[in-house]
Amino acid sequence: MPAPASRGGRTKGATGLAWAALACLLLAATLARAATPTAATTATATPPDRRIAITFDDLPWSSLEPRTPLPAQGTVPPRIAAASARLLQALTDTGTPAIGFVNSARLLVDGKIQSDRVAMLDAWLDAGLALGNHTATHVDLHLVGVPAYQHDILACDGVLRPLLAARGLQPRWFRHPYLRTGRTLADKAAMDAFLAEHDYRIAPVTITDSDWIWAAAYAKALDSGDTAAQAKLRAQYVPYLLRMVNYFEHRSIKLLGYALPQVMLLHANALNADTYPEFVAGLRGRGYRFVDIDEAMGDPAYRRADAFTSALGVSWIHRWALAAGWSWNFYGGEPTSPHWVKDLAGVPADAE
């Protein structure tokens, strides 16, 4: 009969449409699952959280010392003043936080504080950057002993603290010259107690480098007017720094299992002033974020004890590795400066 046949035809057509719709839904679900990464693939695809805090030693400028030949009034040489301004401009333009560690004796000429040198620190603070204590005269703890060393810290504090207090700030970070932190565990304990008493926290270094060698070579090229050598130094210096960052990143992963928020040591010098933007671009190209020292030091690795008593100014990553029982082979593969740079700088071939 027509009616049942007609009903039967409609039923068959609806069933076919339903199966087709269900098939489409199943296919869509399969494709969605394929497009959604699993936890394993997400972990593989997610890059490390690369963070770095930049620190500069020897402010107001690495070559400004009481022994530096200057006019009687202590005026900062124009070349140094210009390089300092370039470094601050580079820091401002790149939007990277930084802390500079002050040797207060570099503010003096014939025992008197020079206003133009203090102005260099004021400019640093005006740029929103931080300052810390690096002792007055860049004294060596292992050479002079604890009492003299503490006296030198207080001498710097006596200059630095009023400078910061005028802006409602206070010094909080201390950096050991030469990264020498004590010849014995007793010396280290005495220094830890002294620094805590004066509200200072040690600023460690996880990325060490030999920028001072490159800077010495660059200064000689500037003195001689050798523009070809200046250009060659600038071109090779940034890749050298990036290799150092890469080396210590991988060492931190080997030791800790993750990419540590790094603290890098540089110096206030002309070479860094003239290459800092390129260095920042290189790091950002590798996925690094620039953070202040407070954020970097929030990582639990920095709560590890430092029992290192050698005179070697090595990275805290190496110190932790040795404390954990790793051999000195852990150091293997650390980049070095080319011989031609050392020759130009006038340092021994084994200097690093």
Side-chain angles (χ1 to χ4, degrees), residues 88 92 118-131 163-164 167 169:
L88 287 174
T92 301
V118 175
M120 294 171 73
L121 297 183
D122 278 324
W124 189 273
L125 294 171
D126 288 341
L129 305 169
L131 295 177
L163 179 68
L164 294 177
R167 298 170 181 259
L169 305 171

Side-chain angles (χ1 to χ4, degrees), residues 157-180:
D157 185 80
V159 174
L160 183 60
R161 193 170 293 274
L163 179 68
L164 294 177
R167 298 170 181 259
L169 305 171
Q170 63 180 13
R172 299 173 46 243
W173 294 99
F174 172 76
R175 167 68 53 74
H176 285 283
Y178 309 106
L179 303 185
R180 292 172 185 162

Side-chain angles (χ1 to χ4, degrees), residues 301-314:
Y302 289 102
R303 294 195 289 272
R304 289 180 169 226
D306 172 24
F308 191 77
T309 56
S310 170
L312 295 175
V314 299

Side-chain angles (χ1 to χ4, degrees), residues 25 112 132 138 145 156 182 188 205 228 242 261 274 296 339 346:
L25 288 172
K112 298 179 180 179
H138 206 278
C156 182
K188 292 172 74 73
V205 176
L242 294 175
D274 293 341
H339 288 297

Side-chain angles (χ1 to χ4, degrees), residues 321-333:
L322 291 171
W326 292 72
S327 74
W328 286 89
N329 293 332
F330 185 83
Y331 286 72

Side-chain angles (χ1 to χ4, degrees), residues 142-271:
H142 289 205
L143 180 64
V144 303
V146 170
Y149 192 70
Q150 293 176 348
H151 182 270
D152 214 56
I153 293 172
L154 292 178
C156 182
D157 185 80
V159 174
L160 183 60
R161 193 170 293 274
L163 179 68
L164 294 177
R167 298 170 181 259
L169 305 171
Q170 63 180 13
R172 299 173 46 243
W173 294 99
F174 172 76
R175 167 68 53 74
H176 285 283
Y178 309 106
L179 303 185
R180 292 172 185 162
T181 56
R183 294 168 296 181
T184 67
L185 293 179
D187 284 356
K188 292 172 74 73
M191 286 308 308
D192 287 345
F194 171 84
L195 291 170
E197 179 185 352
H198 293 87
D199 299 320
Y200 279 108
R201 186 177 178 188
I202 294 172
V205 176
T206 59
I207 300 177
T208 57
D209 55 78
S210 295
D211 75 327
W212 62 276
I213 294 177
W214 293 76
Y218 194 62
K220 288 191 175 182
L222 290 172
D223 289 340
S224 65
D226 188 341
T227 55
Q230 295 168 30
K232 185 178 180 181
L233 284 162
R234 289 193 299 269
Q236 295 192 23
Y237 176 60
V238 170
Y240 160 79
L241 288 183
L242 294 175
R243 287 194 298 272
M244 296 300 289
V245 172
N246 185 65
Y247 169 81
F248 283 107
E249 176 188 314
H250 284 88
R251 282 298 175 275
S252 73
I253 294 172
K254 184 175 182 179
L255 176 65
L256 304 171
Y258 63 95
L260 175 74
Q262 305 282 0
V263 179
M264 186 171 192
L265 168 61
L266 296 172
H267 289 85
N269 58 48
L271 181 58

